[in-house]
């Protein structure tokens, strides 16, 4: 990395959420030991684990601050506890990092250097590979279409030949490794806890962009992700329920009336109908139930109007 020439390195607080994942969290923490960036602190937020994670992390990583929620608060609730603590610790940047990742030693230098190089940038992502196939891309920048209700990963499942080695502006920063400036959090607030899990990163991305900040994909920063571990633990019905409800809620918050109408058409065919047919063929009735309860849960969400983001905000 080119020497950024900072008078003082910005302070970064890394937040890792753990829920019954001590082995993955341990491997992630071991990879962070190799960071060349010096001004950082790690907070592990334990979301009510029952696998002995708390004692294990305390004993093996005494240098890490362990916060215990005592219950599963979801991705949003657990990370928001960490975000509050990070701001109290005078963080200039907050990094949400999945516990099922391992990182390159210079990934944080590259992200912070990119963030400091552009004052209009508020949120950043690294290049993300599959853990089991280290040259296979999972994320090389992302885009959200409110007309279709779809988030797209550029380079998804492509072998990396350098075709995505250009830093670029994006409107979707994945929560797998979400670096955000303190000033952005102070302006737009923490994660929306209504999401619990799924689509909360898309919501945070859109809120930051509507507040006037840019999202940046930084290909010189690299990490590797064990895809799908949390979703498999949660199960099909839960995943379909939250995926359905939160897709509707995200669009409700951010889309114009025309976009929302277009989204409902695409969503009805590409999500509800397609998954219903797939579930019937596989006799996966819990998945069908999850879609149904997801739709009904969205319409019955209390006070969701006050969370709606208008284009005039920011």
């Amino acid at each position: 990395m080119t020497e950024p020439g900072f008078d003082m390195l910005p302070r970064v607080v890394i937040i890792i959420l753990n829920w019954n994942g001590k082995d993955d969290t341990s491997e992630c923490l071991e990879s962070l030991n190799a960071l060349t960036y010096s001004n950082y602190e790690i907070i592990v937020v334990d979301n009510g684990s029952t696998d002995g994670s708390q004692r294990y992390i305390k004993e093996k990583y005494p240098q890490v601050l362990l916060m215990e929620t005592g219950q599963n608060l979801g991705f949003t609730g657990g990370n928001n506890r960490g975000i509050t603590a990070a701001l109290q610790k005078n963080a200039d940047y907050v990094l949400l990092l999945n516990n099922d990742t391992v990182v390159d030693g210079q990934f944080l230098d590259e992200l912070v250097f990119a963030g400091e190089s552009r004052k209009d940038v508020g949120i950043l992502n690294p290049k993300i590979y599959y853990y089991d196939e280290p040259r296979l891309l999972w994320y090389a920048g992302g885009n959200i279409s409110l007309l279709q209700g779809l988030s797209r990963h550029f380079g998804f499942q492509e072998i990396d030949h350098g075709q995505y080695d250009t830093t670029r502006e994006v409107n979707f920063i994945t929560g797998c490794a979400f670096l955000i400036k303190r000033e952005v959090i102070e302006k737009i607030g923490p994660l929306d806890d209504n999401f619990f899990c799924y689509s909360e990163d898309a919501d945070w991305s859109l809120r930051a962009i509507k507040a006037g900040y840019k999202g940046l994909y930084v290909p010189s920063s690299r990490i590797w992700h064990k895809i799908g571990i949390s979703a498999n633990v949660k199960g099909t019905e839960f995943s379909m329920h939250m995926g359905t409800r939160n897709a509707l809620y995200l669009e409700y918050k951010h889309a114009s009336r025309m976009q929302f109408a277009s989204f409902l058409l695409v969503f009805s065919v590409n999500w509800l109908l397609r998954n219903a047919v797939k579930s019937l063929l596989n006799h996966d009735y819990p998945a069908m139930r999850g879609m149904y309860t997801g739709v009904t849960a969205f319409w019955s969400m209390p006070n969701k109007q006050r969370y709606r983001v208008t284009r005039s905000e920011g």
Side-chain angles (χ1 to χ4, degrees):
M1 185 188 84
T2 303
E3 174 59 45
F6 303 141
D7 293 332
M8 181 178 294
L9 285 175
R11 181 166 178 75
V12 181
V13 175
I14 303 170
I15 301 169
I16 300 172
L17 188 65
N18 178 74
W19 180 62
N20 293 326
K22 64 180 179 181
D23 292 336
D24 288 323
T25 298
S26 179
E27 187 173 6
C28 180
L29 290 171
E30 292 294 334
S31 75
L32 290 170
N33 283 337
L35 287 183
T36 56
Y37 195 85
S38 59
N39 193 12
Y40 73 93
E41 181 174 353
I42 300 172
I43 299 175
V44 173
V45 180
D46 185 81
N47 236 359
S49 294
T50 57
D51 67 344
S53 287
Q54 302 92 331
R55 181 177 178 180
Y56 178 83
I57 293 169
K58 284 179 183 177
E59 292 180 352
K60 189 170 183 179
Y61 303 101
Q63 75 279 15
V64 169
L65 174 61
L66 177 66
M67 299 180 62
E68 300 182 44
T69 67
Q71 58 182 311
N72 189 352
L73 301 179
F75 186 89
T76 55
N79 274 306
N80 279 341
R81 292 283 183 92
I83 290 167
T84 298
L87 297 182
Q88 291 172 348
K89 289 177 171 293
N90 299 316
D92 298 303
Y93 287 83
V94 173
L95 174 70
L96 306 187
L97 183 66
N98 274 18
N99 74 318
D100 59 352
T101 61
V102 295
V103 307
D104 177 76
Q106 289 192 319
F107 100 103
L108 192 54
D109 304 74
E110 299 291 346
L111 283 179
V112 174
F113 177 48
E116 290 296 288
S117 298
R118 288 186 52 178
K119 296 305 180 184
D120 60 336
V121 168
I123 52 178
L124 305 97
N125 259 159
K127 180 188 285 186
I128 305 175
Y129 299 91
Y130 283 85
Y131 176 87
D132 291 329
E133 298 185 58
R135 293 184 58 223
L136 187 65
L137 291 166
W138 182 70
Y139 174 95
N143 174 263
I144 301 169
S145 169
L146 291 174
L147 282 170
Q148 297 178 309
L150 299 174
S151 59
R152 174 191 175 197
H153 288 199
F154 302 131
F156 181 65
Q157 295 188 344
E158 294 182 26
I159 297 295
D160 185 13
H161 297 295
Q163 67 272 40
Y164 297 101
D165 279 356
T166 301
T167 301
R168 65 187 297 180
E169 291 182 12
V170 295
N171 74 351
F172 172 54
I173 299 293
T174 173
C176 179
F178 197 121
L179 185 69
I180 183 169
K181 291 180 178 178
R182 178 191 186 95
E183 67 182 84
V184 183
I185 301 174
E186 291 176 338
K187 188 168 186 178
I188 70 174
L191 297 167
D192 181 350
D193 207 27
N194 274 325
F195 284 98
F196 190 79
C197 64
Y198 302 157
S199 298
E200 72 291 316
D201 49 1
D203 172 66
W204 222 20
S205 298
L206 291 173
R207 284 160 55 198
I209 288 167
K210 288 181 178 181
Y213 296 96
K214 303 291 186 182
L216 203 66
Y217 157 69
V218 184
S220 55
S221 175
R222 303 178 302 150
I223 72 169
W224 290 262
H225 184 200
K226 301 171 187 176
I227 308 301
I229 291 174
S230 297
N232 290 336
V233 170
K234 291 168 184 171
T236 304
E237 182 173 352
F238 177 86
S239 298
M240 293 302 291
H241 172 90
M242 297 305 298
T244 302
R245 191 200 71 153
N246 288 352
L248 288 162
Y249 180 48
L250 179 72
E251 287 286 327
Y252 176 84
K253 286 190 68 172
H254 294 282
S256 66
R257 289 183 179 179
M258 183 195 74
Q259 289 171 329
F260 193 67
S262 171
F263 156 75
L264 286 177
L265 178 61
V266 174
F267 183 74
S268 298
V269 175
N270 282 358
W271 179 262
L272 296 179
L273 181 59
R274 185 186 65 180
N275 282 303
V277 171
K278 181 179 177 181
S279 299
L280 279 172
L281 291 175
N282 294 330
H283 304 287
D284 189 357
Y285 304 115
M288 292 188 66
R289 184 166 56 246
M291 284 190 294
Y292 171 76
T293 60
V295 171
T296 57
F298 163 71
W299 292 114
S300 62
M301 285 177 71
N303 300 320
K304 62 178 179 288
Q305 180 63 41
R306 68 190 178 97
Y307 294 97
R308 185 171 175 84
V309 178
T310 65
R311 297 185 181 279
S312 62
E313 290 184 22

